[in-house]
Amino acid sequence: ISIVASLAVLIYIGIRMAIASVASDKAKYKEMLKDWVVGFIVLFLLHYFMIIVLNLNNQLVDLIYNVNKSSSSTIFQDYNTSLILNTFNISFVKGWGSLILYVILLGTTMALFVMYVKRLFTIGFLIVISPLITVTYAIDRLGDGKSQALGTWMKEFVYNIIIQPFHCIVYV
């Protein structure tokens, strides 16, 4: 669909170049044609960018997991188990303190779950609209020479992907 839409934009640029009579308009449309070629190339290269960012994120998360696993995963599991067991302690302070800490840990886990469901839909949406962003590249660069749509899309995509290692560090 994006290739067809991009070709429609190319036809539009070609028609505008053909009917342009002023030299400045012809130069503007020639620049737009160059931007269209760049946008068409970006259409095919954007998927590689997404794969690189996703692989980088997976490598960082695996690194954090392996460091945590090798150093203190049993400590965290033992701490979590002792919190659950201490909630049934007959001592008021130890029992209620453990219960409050366990509820805070559970609340943090649920908050991260909600964030990640939102993140899932956001990343899915960004992946779906990525080809459409490249179609508008030539038109978007026409005004000020910058592609705000592609730049904003790339920032949002990278932010939503790379936030996961930071959440892992905070949780660990």
Side-chain angles (χ1 to χ4, degrees):
I1 294 172
S2 294
I3 293 172
V4 171
S6 187
L7 292 175
V9 170
L10 175 65
I11 292 169
Y12 168 76
I13 293 170
I15 291 171
R16 293 298 298 236
M17 281 178 71
I19 62 173
S21 60
V22 182
S24 64
D25 286 344
K26 285 187 178 190
K28 179 175 74 170
Y29 290 119
K30 282 184 183 179
E31 187 66 31
M32 196 172 178
L33 183 63
K34 289 177 192 173
D35 291 336
W36 179 87
V37 170
V38 171
F40 200 71
I41 292 169
V42 168
L43 174 65
F44 293 104
L45 295 180
L46 194 60
H47 299 88
Y48 293 109
F49 171 76
M50 289 188 281
I51 290 169
I52 290 168
V53 171
L54 287 170
N55 284 334
L56 176 68
N57 177 60
N58 289 338
Q59 293 297 323
L60 288 172
V61 170
D62 286 343
L63 177 71
I64 294 167
Y65 174 74
N66 290 333
V67 166
N68 182 45
K69 182 180 174 186
S70 65
S71 65
S72 65
S73 68
T74 57
I75 294 171
F76 182 70
Q77 289 171 351
D78 291 341
Y79 180 73
N80 202 7
T81 304
S82 67
L83 265 179
I84 292 170
L85 292 176
N86 283 339
T87 58
F88 300 111
N89 196 328
I90 203 149
S91 170
F92 179 78
V93 174
K94 196 172 190 179
W96 279 97
S98 297
L99 179 65
I100 290 170
L101 285 176
Y102 188 73
V103 167
I104 290 171
L105 184 64
L106 185 66
T108 304
T109 304
M110 292 307 294
L112 285 173
F113 175 74
V114 169
M115 271 192 234
Y116 275 82
V117 169
K118 179 183 175 268
R119 179 180 173 263
L120 171 79
F121 288 116
T122 303
I123 291 171
F125 178 74
L126 288 172
I127 289 171
V128 168
I129 67 164
S130 65
L132 300 175
I133 296 297
T134 61
V135 172
T136 63
Y137 181 81
I139 299 168
D140 196 19
R141 283 193 47 115
L142 186 63
D144 58 356
K146 296 180 183 175
S147 176
Q148 289 88 5
L150 184 63
T152 303
W153 181 89
M154 290 177 96
K155 287 176 192 171
E156 283 293 318
F157 184 77
V158 169
Y159 168 76
N160 278 301
I161 295 291
I162 300 296
I163 194 74
Q164 186 178 14
F166 294 109
H167 285 163
C168 290
I169 290 169
V170 168
Y171 192 74
V172 168

